[in-house]
Every structure is written in structure tokens, then in C-alpha cells.
Amino acid sequence: MDITICHLYPDFMNLYGDRGNIIALQRRASWHGLHPRVVPISVGEEYDLRSCDIIFMGGGQDREQRAIARDFDDRYRVMNEAVQDRVAVLAICGAYQLLGRYYRTAAGEKLNGLGLLDSWTDAGAPRLVGNVVVESRLDGTRRTLVGFENHGGRTYLGPAAAPLGRVLAGHGNNGVDGQEGAVQGTIIGTYLHGALLPKNPWLADYLLGQALIRRGARHQLGALDDTLEVSAHQAAIRRARG
Ligand code: GLN
């Protein structure tokens, strides 16, 4: 079965190994017996995002975010249609901020977001930097997520968005409320770079599983040998907890 992974803005939004998420999705999809195809889509390129199974966007600094915010003005309709059609979305850091209502930059400029997440972000100081461990129950089981954060933005969630998880180590959305990331419908936003998915294989499989459910596919995701991934995950937890 073919799986289409759309990589939005690979040339603008790619920090701290975010592209590793695409590689992890691709590799795990193949190991699960699926046939992944990655479609890069950059600023100004039209694409019907409903034909994607998974949409991924990495992080970017304020300058890149400005370019993306302009492109989002034209892309709102297709992104909204894709989300209504339950396409799975994973957005990291700068992209996560722009899926919300707005991001106010360090220079005070307000960049409009897509508003597909009930969230908003204001730049603040100091930057929130370091290793992160999060407890998440996204797939119904208590799990941990590990990653690396580096953001000035403080993100707050409205009632329509749920946090991706609870911060066990690190700062998370704003360093104050103990929340990390956001989940709303099929959208997942998070501050975790790292890359995220290679060190948190359960989340990669969750996204692939969501894609299969949407297609009504009978294909089952079996267990893979995650010895290396689990050892990277445990090492990251030890490092974050110092
Ligand atoms: N520019 C944003 C911030 O600092 C996003 C940074 C990022 O994507 N790492 O909050």
C-alpha cells in the first residue's frame, strides 16, 4: 500500500535534524511493508493536500516563519480541507506556532497563523533551551517523548486544543503551565526537535496508524525491532534528567 508523506517547506523549515522525522516515517513505513513516497512542497507550490496521508513541517526562525506565514494566507483553504478530511499533521516548533492563531515575533511583529490549532504564541525572554521529557497519553497508553527545545515563543492553548503531554523535564509550551505541544483533531504540534520520531518510534507508528485508519486500510502495523531506538530514547531521558 502506498503512503504519501507531504513535507511542507523542507527548504525553509528544518532545524536541529527535523528532516530526520521524514526519514523515520519513510523507513518505518517500509519496514511495516508499506510503500512510502515523500512529496516536498515549497512556498508558492500548489498541491491538493487531501491526497497526502501525513503532512510534516519542521521548525524555523522568525525570518523563515515570515515567509511561511505569507504562504499560509494562500494555503489556508487546502490545509483546512486536508485537516477536515483527517489527514495526519505533525508540526514542529516554528511550524507549530504558525498552525495556531498567531505568533508575535521577538521584534513585535504579529504573524497570522492558520488558526487550525486553538493556540497563540508570544515571543519572550529568555529562550527556552534544553532537553525535554514529556509524558503523553496520545495513543491511550502512558508513554514518554524525548526531544530538544530551543524557542523564544511562549505558546498558550485555548479550550479546543489539548496538550500533547505533561513536561517531566524541560520547559514545554511556555515554561509555566507544565504543558507541551498541542493536539486538535488530527493535528499534532510540538516544540520537540531532535529529531523527534527516530527517538520516539511509537509516535511515528501512531502517525502511520492514523493514516491507515483514515484510508480504512486493513493493513496492520506489526511490532518492529526497536532496540536501538529504545536505547536512544532511554539515553535522552537520562541526559535530560541530568
Ligand atoms: N522562532 C521561533 C521561536 O524562537 C521558532 C524557533 C524554532 O522553530 N526553533 O520561538
Side-chain angles (χ1 to χ4, degrees):
M1 184 182 150
D2 293 336
I3 283 276
T4 304
I5 302 160
C6 289
H7 190 179
L8 266 181
Y9 315 122
D11 41 356
F12 281 82
M13 305 293 273
N14 178 38
L15 287 176
Y16 317 116
D18 285 339
R19 189 183 293 274
N21 293 305
I22 291 286
I23 298 168
L25 283 172
Q26 226 173 344
R27 296 303 295 266
R28 292 188 75 81
S30 303
W31 292 335
H32 283 299
L34 301 165
H35 302 286
R37 184 172 71 105
V38 176
V39 180
I41 304 165
S42 194
V43 167
E45 285 174 14
E46 285 179 30
Y47 196 83
D48 182 357
L49 294 172
R50 283 174 305 186
S51 65
C52 309
D53 293 293
I54 299 171
I55 298 171
F56 172 76
M57 282 176 273
Q61 300 297 354
D62 294 12
R63 189 160 47 90
E64 287 81 28
Q65 286 178 284
R66 200 172 295 121
I68 300 316
R70 276 197 298 271
D71 193 71
F72 269 178
D73 283 343
D74 301 326
R75 214 177 286 277
Y76 173 77
R77 188 181 54 79
V78 280
M79 268 300 277
N80 188 38
E81 282 170 358
V83 167
Q84 297 309 321
D85 202 16
R86 303 200 61 75
V87 174
V89 179
L90 175 64
I92 312 291
C93 199
Y96 163 39
Q97 294 171 346
L98 288 178
L99 283 183
R101 294 186 219 154
Y102 71 82
Y103 168 51
R104 196 179 302 277
T105 70
E109 183 184 358
K110 187 175 176 186
L111 302 178
N112 286 327
L114 284 174
L116 295 173
L117 283 176
D118 186 11
S119 64
W120 60 95
T121 304
D122 293 300
R127 292 187 73 78
L128 305 177
V129 184
N131 295 312
V132 189
V133 183
V134 173
E135 179 185 278
S136 174
R137 293 175 186 265
L138 181 69
D139 68 352
T141 303
R142 193 168 73 174
R143 310 248 191 205
T144 47
L145 285 169
V146 295
F148 168 76
E149 64 182 333
N150 182 354
H151 52 107
R154 271 64 172 165
T155 298
Y156 301 91
L157 305 186
L164 172 60
R166 192 168 67 84
V167 174
L168 300 181
H171 305 285
N173 281 344
N174 48 55
V176 175
D177 63 16
Q179 299 184 343
E180 206 299 310
V183 180
Q184 189 168 339
T186 54
I187 304 177
I188 299 173
T190 175
Y191 274 111
L192 300 189
H193 300 278
L196 175 67
L197 297 181
K199 280 187 273 185
N200 300 283
W202 71 265
L203 184 58
D205 284 359
Y206 175 83
L207 290 166
L208 293 170
Q210 292 297 104
L212 295 180
I213 290 168
R214 169 172 173 261
R215 295 259 219 107
R218 281 213 303 263
H219 191 102
Q220 295 284 332
L221 297 182
L224 299 176
D225 176 3
D226 284 334
T227 312
L228 279 175
E229 290 83 350
V230 168
S231 126
H233 183 97
Q234 298 301 349
I237 290 181
R238 284 194 297 275
R239 190 165 303 168
R241 291 191 156 154

